[in-house]
């Protein structure tokens, strides 16, 4: 049984994240999406809100669960008996940061491996930050995230 964690900020989840979650769920027995709540970033959505949104948009995938976590991703992996951390790679600009993080994590926890899934081409440009910026200026974000996420952003931004 191979358990994978997919840690991230997910503020909020996009179709790019969902693409990684779906693909990871077909490669691993169990995928636990970890929502980091103690990040230095000031998120638009609270940890609980991000978890609730993720739970709703993944409720059709039986081997995916969603949890909130604080602290190190490797500790979240170890606490959940996961041998794998999944991360999505969009472009070469992601690579340096992701490589450094994967190598640091491997030093901290040699039994936990990071596996990268390259983001599907149609979502290669997409990030939660871009989506929030487009929304804030009144742009159409319906191609970036499921309708309930679009609605949650509109409510949060009073659009
Ligand atoms: O969605 P993001 O913001 O790209 O996710 C980044 C995340 C949460 C995976 C990363 O910041 C992280 O793992 N933070 C927890 C602290 C940690 O474990 N740092 C890694 C040591 S370099």
């Amino acid at each position: 049984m191979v358990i994978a964690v997919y840690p991230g900020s997910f503020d909020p989840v996009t179709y790019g994240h969902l693409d990684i979650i779906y693909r990871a769920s077909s490669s691993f027995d169990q995928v636990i999406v970890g929502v980091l709540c103690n990040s230095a970033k000031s998120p638009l959505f609270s940890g609980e809100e991000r978890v609730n949104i993720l739970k709703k948009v993944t409720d059709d995938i039986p081997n995916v669960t969603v949890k909130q976590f604080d602290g190190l991703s490797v500790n979240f992996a170890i606490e959940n008996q996961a041998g794998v951390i999944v991360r999505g790679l969009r472009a070469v600009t992601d690579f340096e940061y992701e490589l450094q993080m994967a190598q640091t994590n491997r030093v901290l926890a040699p039994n936990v491996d990071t596996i990268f899934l390259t983001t599907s081409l149609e979502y290669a440009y997409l990030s939660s930050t871009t989506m929030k910026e487009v929304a804030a200026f009144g742009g159409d974000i319906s191609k970036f995230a499921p309708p309930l996420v679009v609605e949650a952003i509109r409510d949060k931004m009073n659009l």
Side-chain angles (χ1 to χ4, degrees), residues 7-10 36 41 69 71-74 87 97 101 104-105:
S9 306
F10 305 106
L36 179 71
K41 301 172 186 174
F69 78 101
L72 294 172
S73 287
V74 279
R87 291 285 292 164
Y97 169 66
M101 203 159 59
T104 307
N105 286 339

Side-chain angles (χ1 to χ4, degrees), residues 69-81 85 108-109 112:
F69 78 101
D70 282 333
L72 294 172
S73 287
V74 279
N75 289 347
F76 178 65
I78 292 164
E79 282 157 19
N80 286 282
Q81 290 83 46
I85 293 175
L108 293 172
V112 179

